[in-house]
Amino acid sequence: MGWQTQRILDTVGTATGGTQSINYNLEAIEALMVTLQADVADGLRPPNATTGGTGPTTFTSTSYGTIATSSTGRLGCQIFSEGPGTLHVTLGTSTTSTSLYTVRLSSGDYFETPSNYTGLIGGIFATAGTARVTEVS
């Protein structure tokens, strides 16, 4: 909670302006606390330092396969398609096919999952190909 505390302290500033200044600062603190509570309720989390990850691993499946399993500790996942095939990637539990996918990656394309996406990532190559996958946690 360090950055929230600093923001509150920055908002408060100096309380040398009498009662009006103190009331203003209390209103600003109250508004900030309401915002922070709403962010927490919405599941937003403050920026985290990256402490680890897995990868890069290789994905080469020409039939549906799991690129990355669900992981509540995942902060991000990067996929780089380096082979000649076209990789079809799906976020979520739907089975990926060459006609049902979230994103299609040609050779040399790069994709990052949305921030803090922790769900299943599936994929399939239309023809033989290779992708490098790195998960950040």
Side-chain angles (χ1 to χ4, degrees):
M1 185 161 155
W3 64 273
Q4 292 106 330
T5 304
Q6 186 59 50
R7 186 163 175 200
I8 290 169
L9 292 174
D10 291 345
T11 302
V12 172
T14 58
T16 58
T19 305
Q20 185 177 4
S21 179
I22 292 171
N23 287 339
Y24 170 79
N25 288 330
L26 290 175
E27 288 171 11
I29 292 169
E30 198 171 85
L32 179 59
M33 293 305 292
V34 168
T35 301
L36 290 173
Q37 288 171 342
D39 287 349
V40 169
D42 288 341
L44 299 179
R45 51 187 192 179
N48 293 326
T50 307
T51 58
T54 61
T57 59
T58 303
F59 181 81
T60 60
S61 184
T62 54
S63 60
Y64 174 77
T66 299
I67 293 175
T69 59
S70 296
S71 171
T72 57
R74 181 190 313 134
L75 298 175
C77 183
Q78 296 82 36
I79 303 169
F80 176 72
S81 182
E82 66 180 9
T86 300
L87 174 62
H88 298 80
V89 178
T90 299
L91 303 180
T93 57
S94 296
T95 300
T96 309
S97 70
T98 57
S99 59
L100 178 64
Y101 55 87
T102 302
V103 64
R104 183 179 66 200
L105 304 174
S106 298
S107 181
D109 287 346
Y110 173 80
F111 174 72
E112 287 186 2
T113 58
S115 295
N116 297 323
Y117 174 74
T118 60
L120 178 71
I121 304 169
I124 183 174
F125 272 100
T127 59
T130 303
R132 302 289 175 198
V133 180
T134 302
E135 289 186 84
V136 180
S137 57

